[in-house]
Amino acid sequence: MMTEISCNYAITTLRTITQKQYAKKTKLDTHTYTKITEAYNQQFSDYPDMVLSRSTVVKKLKKLMSTFNKKWNPTIMRTTYMETFSPTEWMKLCDDEKKEHSVRKCTKCPIAYGCLHSAFHHRKGSKPDENELQIFLTSEHLSSPKKLARNALLQLNAICSSKFGESAQSIIARTPGSQLISSSSRKRQLQENAKQVKSSIQKVFDDTALETVMGNRLSWRFYDRARKVEGLESKCTNATASAEKLMRKRIHGCSLTNVLVDKEAVLAEASAWSDEQKVNWSELARRHGVVQKNGGQMVKEFLQACNIPAACRTDVKRAPRRRKKKILGGITMPMKKPSAFYKNKLSEEIEKVLVSAIYDPALYVTDEEVFRRTGMYVNVQAIVERPELHIIGRSTSSIEDQRKFIECRRQCMQQMGTKLFTSEGLEITDVLRFFHGDGPAQQFEAGHSIGGNYCCVGCGARSTLFDDIVHCYRSPKLSFKDRQEFVLKGASWEKNNATPFDGLSIEQLRVELARRCIDIKGKKRPQLDKDFEELKMGIVSVPALLQTNPTESLESLNLVQYEVSPLEPLHDIKGHFSNVIEESICIAPEGVKTELHKIQAAVLSKDTLRGCDYRKAMILMYLKTKEIQPDSMLCKVFQTAVQISKILYASEAKRTPKSILNLHNIAFYHAYLCAKLFLAPKHMTRRKLFGRYFHALTTHSPLLYRIICLRSLNTEIQERMFSQVKQISKTTSNQSTDNIVTNAIKRLHYEEGSKHEDTIAVQESEIEKLAKVTGPFTNTCFTIEIMKSASYQSHIERISDYLVCGPGVWWKTTNDGVEFFDGDFEDDYRDVGPTMHHFRSSSLVDIDALLLEQWEQCITENIQLPAVSIVTYGHEGAGQTIQLQN
């Protein structure tokens, strides 16, 4: 039904003016009508065709606003209508366009705004016309493409809804080539996408659950609790939902009355029950031949209908089943599998037997080769030498418990001869080469005494003479073969393989000495014990791997090249640096002592101190002492300690003839300075200060460095692994004998696979950056005073292969003494030698014999030596001093 006011601008203007009154639903009086009429005519005062009389406003306004306030289809059309014909839009029209409009029978609105015009004027009974849509689409008023498309779709929806009973979007979505989708299709698509997301999340849960639990030391109980919190509703929410669920009647299949069973027998059995009878409904159904899936519930409902008290009980409480959380429109939350699933999976996995390899550039690629291939900097040596578990067992650290693993280790050694082949067909034979560990582990492996007067497994030096450089440098080196032959010369091993020399009677002692060609005539027990102790040099049995069969050949166990390393950089540096720092603070001058105390408090005040902490503290103390007293003996002690640490942690690529000579020189110089500076230690005994740590660094490190990169002997990562096993067992195990070992192995395996930060690499990087502040080190120089000392000759005897090359190659004389070309600015190699050795073909005993041969060559061929005088010894041991002219 058309209203007499047909111009849309007039309608919206009236609507805007009266909106406040109608919003409050107040009744309009005569005065209000007059105000509305005046306000309206003021808006259109220049256009007579748009003016309204007061009587027309009174007669038409109420009906017009009632029609306007009714439901629009769609609702958004009302907003569009008001925006298009607002007073603001009227002001934007030019005078000619305004004159085309008329308040009654307006011809401009249906033509220019057909769609919106129809949206208001045809809402009661009349249907929209397709011609009006055509008029609307061709109008010039809607200049915005987005606005045009939106309003066109609204008009299409009105037409399609009136003619076909569905929206235009649904019809267009079914049209081939259309990219629109219907609301139902969109909902299905969202559900499919949600299922795919859930599936991908579930896959991640399944793939990473083991790594998460085992690699982060979480207990399985904690994992199950967290799993329920993450994926299930809370107990309070779930209890309310379960109570509502129980209120609803559930239908468990068909009624028992429709099943061919003996219902009288069921009823007779139930009648004999007491009121508190506990019933297994499934078992009752099977016993009476009810084979349906929900047979137990069917029987229960049948007996409830028969008013059997046991079936009608309401005090039986069932634990409410917690529901899964829902996400994405009803899709349930992905759930991790329970711990029992992964425990079963773990029981099927094979435990690994893990070993440690030594980096050999002849077999593995170098860092430079990896960089050329991949463009990445990779520490190949660290990757190759990363230790992996070989044997783990629960035992104490006693010797008796350690012997229990010998037979298992022997079986592994016998399989070392198995030939292996690379992908290129190269044959490789694994060789057990070095054992490295802390002092007690070294001593047990070598069959050596734990502590005592001969605690070094590498030589026969006496512990009380470790500060005597000559005694240590010239002590004989002991191999596995030497140890086995020494024990087998006697007779005591036949009765006791593990500890043949314990509790010997005086007669047995005489037999042992006599078999080793020691004079025993007229000697009493104290002298015999002393002679035998000096003869043993700490040997108490055959090496550990031979204790079950002392006469077995080393070849049968593939132990011909096996050696126990007398040096372990981590423990030796940590122990010696700790002693030097404590003693240096006691003897330092007041100005230096204060600074050293500050460094000690800043770096060494933690509860758990590592080797890197002592190395860092030593560098800082050297820098501070160099700043205050650069020429003091204390500064030189710190400097040589820093240089030793630098070489011990250097990579295989930096092991060169120059670095080997440098380590020989600074190790000797450090020992010489310590012996001179710490004549009477104040903080500790002399035996502790010049103990096994000092002896290993100053005596054995240069010889070992000739055949192997000392970083390969570092047990820092092994120590971390031991700490890992202890923490795993402490935090995730129930301490049961059946659980603790397998739990540690499995969790250690997954922790190794986790992408944790490499803390050792970070610490090494920090120390390397700090060490760069020390600057490059110059050549090693020895004064005439040092050259005249008795220990100097024992030092140059150990570098005789460098002296054979003659003066001017690796050394030269100066006005103050001698200078060796081993500084950072010198060349790493010389054409004339010496030749570098390697653990593949050389042992410590071989190196010791080679150096002795080279020294004899220097003497017999009268090669010029960097010494003031030397002492030669004849066949009978008599010494002769020879003065040298350089």
Side-chain angles (χ1 to χ4, degrees), residues 612 615-620 622-623 626 639 641-647 649 654 763-777 824:
C612 59
R615 291 165 59 199
K616 183 178 180 181
M618 184 61 72
I619 294 174
L620 294 174
Y622 163 61
L623 293 173
K626 182 181 178 182
Q639 176 184 339
V642 170
Q643 289 181 270
I644 292 174
S645 172
K646 179 181 177 181
I647 296 178
Y649 278 83
K654 296 181 180 180
Q763 293 166 358
E764 289 297 320
S765 177
E766 292 177 358
I767 293 177
E768 288 177 2
K769 292 178 181 178
L770 185 61
K772 289 180 180 179
V773 183
T774 62
F777 293 105
D824 291 344

Side-chain angles (χ1 to χ4, degrees), residues 310-371:
C312 298
R313 291 175 57 190
T314 58
D315 59 340
V316 179
K317 296 183 179 180
R318 296 181 60 185
R321 183 178 179 180
R322 295 174 65 179
R323 300 183 301 178
K324 292 183 179 180
K325 293 179 179 178
K326 292 185 177 182
I327 57 173
L328 300 176
I331 303 299
T332 57
M333 176 81 75
M335 280 287 290
K336 297 177 182 178
K337 289 183 171 59
S339 61
F341 173 81
Y342 296 108
K343 289 179 181 179
N344 295 333
K345 183 178 179 181
L346 282 173
S347 64
E348 299 170 0
E349 294 187 356
I350 300 175
E351 298 175 359
K352 297 196 305 181
V353 178
L354 309 171
V355 294
S356 177
I358 302 177
Y359 176 73
D360 186 353
L363 183 61
Y364 300 99
V365 295
T366 62
D367 298 354
E368 292 77 11
E369 290 173 330
V370 173
F371 178 75

Side-chain angles (χ1 to χ4, degrees), residues 31 144 152 169 189 213 292 345 518 521 537 574 622 652 823-824:
H31 180 67
S144 171
Q169 289 100 319
Q189 185 65 39
V213 178
Q292 280 75 6
K345 183 178 179 181
I518 303 298
K521 291 182 180 180
M537 294 183 294
K574 180 180 178 181
Y622 163 61
E652 170 65 27
D824 291 344

Side-chain angles (χ1 to χ4, degrees), residues 146-198:
K146 186 181 293 187
K147 192 172 183 180
L148 175 65
R150 183 183 65 178
N151 293 323
L153 185 60
L154 293 175
Q155 182 66 9
L156 279 174
N157 278 332
I159 296 172
C160 293
S161 298
S162 62
K163 286 194 172 185
F164 309 111
E166 57 181 323
S167 65
Q169 289 100 319
S170 300
I171 298 174
I172 297 174
R174 296 196 302 270
T175 304
S178 173
Q179 297 182 354
L180 293 179
I181 59 174
S182 62
S183 58
S184 59
S185 299
R186 185 184 298 275
K187 185 176 181 180
R188 287 195 299 270
Q189 185 65 39
L190 288 175
Q191 289 179 342
E192 291 297 326
N193 293 340
K195 289 180 181 179
Q196 292 178 4
V197 172
K198 176 184 176 181

